[in-house]
């Protein structure tokens, strides 16, 4: 009787420990969204055009491509994405010549 009680106790402790290990190692998954911003040269924050391609991370979300492409300033884009619970991750820009438009890639992530 005493040994079966001890074995049951050990099994319970083992299962509790394994459950905590599994939940502790869970890796959060994110959706990533790329927004291309074409900005006028030497015009602080004024957007010439926003281009968003169809992406899997937009499926089933509240924001749409049309909403993003209507924005006129980079601050509007960042505020809109923040209000929609998308976190800013990175920005990369490409400038070919002095008076050419600046192409910028904004990356946002959202927890699934």
């Amino acid at each position: 009787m005493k040994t079966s009680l001890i074995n049951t106790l050990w099994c319970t402790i083992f299962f509790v420990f394994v459950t905590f290990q599994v939940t502790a190692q869970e890796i959060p998954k994110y959706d990533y969204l790329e927004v291309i911003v074409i900005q006028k040269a030497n015009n602080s924050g004024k957007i010439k055009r926003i281009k968003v391609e169809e992406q899997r991370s937009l499926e089933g979300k509240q924001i749409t491509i049309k909403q993003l492409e209507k924005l006129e300033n980079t601050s509007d884009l960042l505020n809109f994405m923040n209000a929609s619970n998308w976190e800013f991750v990175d920005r990369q820009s490409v400038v070919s010549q002095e008076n050419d438009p600046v192409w910028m890639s904004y990356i946002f992530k959202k927890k699934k």
Side-chain angles (χ1 to χ4, degrees):
M1 178 75 170
K2 187 176 183 180
T3 56
S4 65
L5 182 62
I6 291 174
N7 286 339
T8 305
L9 180 63
W10 279 113
C11 288
T12 305
I13 291 172
F14 175 74
F15 284 121
V16 168
F17 180 73
V18 168
T19 304
F20 283 129
Q21 284 292 333
V22 170
T23 57
Q25 294 179 1
E26 185 175 313
I27 298 171
K29 298 184 192 249
Y30 294 97
D31 280 334
Y32 287 92
L33 176 65
E34 181 181 24
V35 178
I36 304 295
V37 175
I38 304 160
Q39 185 173 324
K40 295 180 181 180
N42 301 324
N43 199 348
S44 60
K46 186 71 174 173
I47 291 177
K48 189 174 183 180
R49 187 177 77 169
I50 292 180
K51 181 180 180 184
V52 181
E53 296 179 359
E54 287 288 334
Q55 299 175 39
R56 184 178 291 177
S57 58
L58 282 175
E59 294 174 5
K61 301 295 187 296
Q62 294 178 353
I63 63 172
T64 64
I65 292 174
K66 288 183 182 182
Q67 288 175 320
L68 290 171
E69 290 179 345
K70 286 182 183 178
L71 300 173
E72 297 179 2
N73 295 314
T74 52
S75 61
D76 294 339
L77 172 66
L78 294 172
N79 287 334
F80 177 78
M81 296 302 284
N82 189 29
S84 301
N85 294 324
W86 285 84
E87 180 181 345
F88 173 75
V89 176
D90 190 23
R91 181 190 79 177
Q92 296 181 0
S93 61
V94 175
V95 181
S96 55
Q97 292 183 7
E98 188 175 319
N99 289 329
D100 285 349
V102 179
W103 287 69
M104 293 184 287
S105 170
Y106 284 85
I107 305 294
F108 297 93
K109 73 178 180 179
K110 185 171 189 168
K111 196 180 260 190
K112 287 185 177 180

